[in-house]
Amino acid sequence: MTDAAAVDASNADQARAWDGGEGAYWAANAERFEKGMTRYSTRFLGAAEIGASARVLDIGCGTGDTTRDAARLASRGSALGVDLSAQRIDVARQRAAASGIANAHFEQADAQIHPFAEHSADVVISRTGAMFFGDPVAAFRNLARALRPDGRLVLLVWQAPHRNEWIAAITAALAAGRNLPSPPPDAPGPFSMSDPDGVRTLLSAAGFADPQFESLEEPMYFGARADDAHPFIAGLTAWMLEGLDDNGKARALDDLRTTIGKHETRNGVLFASAAWLITTALS
């Protein structure tokens, strides 16, 4: 991380990943990652109810597609996207400039501790970017401070792994006969907010009202063809091959190729996914 982006100690591991190799991979494949989530955009942004003069704060903005979309809706307002990854923020700025979106701004920051101006946001949004905080109560308290009293918080988070074929099927393919352990459900990671009861407890402790949950299911896009998606997914999940010898790696990658082939359609390589659309306000 740069000196300008202070990071809470509880987020140090996330910062090393997102401002390191993982963030660089996402930045290098920005268009693919953004397209993968496109089918959720309409419902997600609709729930945010972004007005033309709104001030929007986008948490874990990645390469900035949700921030750009929010800025288009807030045509007389603004959208600020924050992310731990300097590489992804650089790409976000470039893509916004290339699209001529002058009211989209980006900052490398740890949203758990960043000194957002009090009541500076009309809407706080996060599409699969709010599940990685080391201290989620502290993080959401900080976001509550940034939100105006009658503002709105809208999150898209993954449901449990067994509801998400993209992680279940890919993990099974790369296991190569091993039992790959699942991360603890309360640890920072993509499924840390998959339990509605846990999310209710978290948001209540942070000063938010009882949230509303809507279950959404959409296919995730991974590439135009199987031979195109295979190297992309293999690069994304390379850590799953750790500990395997050459024969084991070859078997795992062959199994992955077979799994991807079964999901090739005329609309690309698609895996089923399920997410919670969460909306709430300050209590």
Side-chain angles (χ1 to χ4, degrees):
M1 302 292 290
T2 66
D3 293 339
V7 175
D8 189 82
S10 66
N11 292 322
D13 288 344
Q14 294 294 326
R16 278 190 288 271
W18 291 113
D19 202 39
E22 193 162 352
Y25 193 81
W26 279 65
N29 293 277
E31 187 171 352
R32 177 105 51 142
F33 279 112
E34 291 183 357
K35 187 172 181 179
M37 294 293 296
T38 298
R39 289 172 173 83
Y40 282 106
S41 295
T42 299
R43 299 290 292 278
F44 174 66
L45 291 167
E49 298 180 0
I50 298 169
S53 299
R55 300 164 299 168
V56 183
L57 175 58
D58 186 7
I59 304 302
C61 68
T63 51
D65 60 322
T66 49
T67 315
R68 296 193 303 274
D69 287 342
R72 291 185 183 99
L73 293 169
S75 56
R76 297 192 303 274
S78 63
L80 171 64
V82 300
D83 198 276
L84 282 172
S85 171
Q87 301 99 316
R88 300 204 300 184
I89 288 294
D90 285 345
V91 172
R93 288 172 177 155
Q94 293 166 16
R95 291 172 76 83
S99 299
I101 304 174
N103 64 330
H105 311 286
F106 301 91
E107 187 167 350
Q108 184 190 13
D110 179 354
Q112 182 172 313
I113 60 170
H114 186 72
F116 299 111
E118 188 174 4
H119 303 162
S120 58
D122 300 305
V123 188
V124 175
I125 63 174
S126 182
R127 190 193 66 190
T128 67
M131 303 92 74
F132 301 92
F133 294 118
D135 186 341
V137 173
F140 280 97
R141 282 177 178 162
N142 196 38
L143 299 181
R145 187 184 62 81
L147 190 62
R148 77 180 194 195
D150 59 347
R152 190 171 183 83
L153 173 70
V154 179
L155 309 172
L156 190 79
V157 302
W158 295 122
Q159 294 186 30
H162 73 272
R163 296 272 293 137
N164 280 279
E165 184 187 37
W166 61 270
I167 188 65
I170 291 170
T171 300
L174 292 174
R178 300 168 296 164
N179 182 21
L180 293 178
S182 300
D186 56 348
F191 303 103
S192 68
M193 295 181 71
S194 60
D195 174 36
D197 288 339
V199 172
R200 289 188 181 95
T201 300
L202 162 62
L203 293 179
S204 175
F208 288 94
D210 188 40
Q212 300 298 307
F213 290 79
E214 182 180 356
S215 180
L216 303 181
E217 297 181 23
E218 296 289 351
M220 289 275 289
Y221 173 89
F222 283 90
R225 302 172 310 281
D227 60 357
D228 169 58
H230 184 266
F232 169 68
I233 296 175
L236 178 64
T237 57
W239 59 274
M240 292 187 185
L241 300 178
E242 293 176 1
L244 291 174
D245 59 20
D246 289 344
N247 288 336
K249 289 179 181 178
R251 172 188 169 184
L253 291 173
D254 283 344
D255 288 347
L256 177 64
R257 184 174 287 105
T258 298
T259 296
I260 292 172
K262 292 177 180 178
H263 289 80
E264 185 178 68
T265 75
R266 63 182 181 181
N267 295 316
V269 175
L270 303 175
F271 284 83
S273 71
W276 293 117
L277 178 60
I278 304 171
T279 56
T280 188
L282 296 176
S283 59

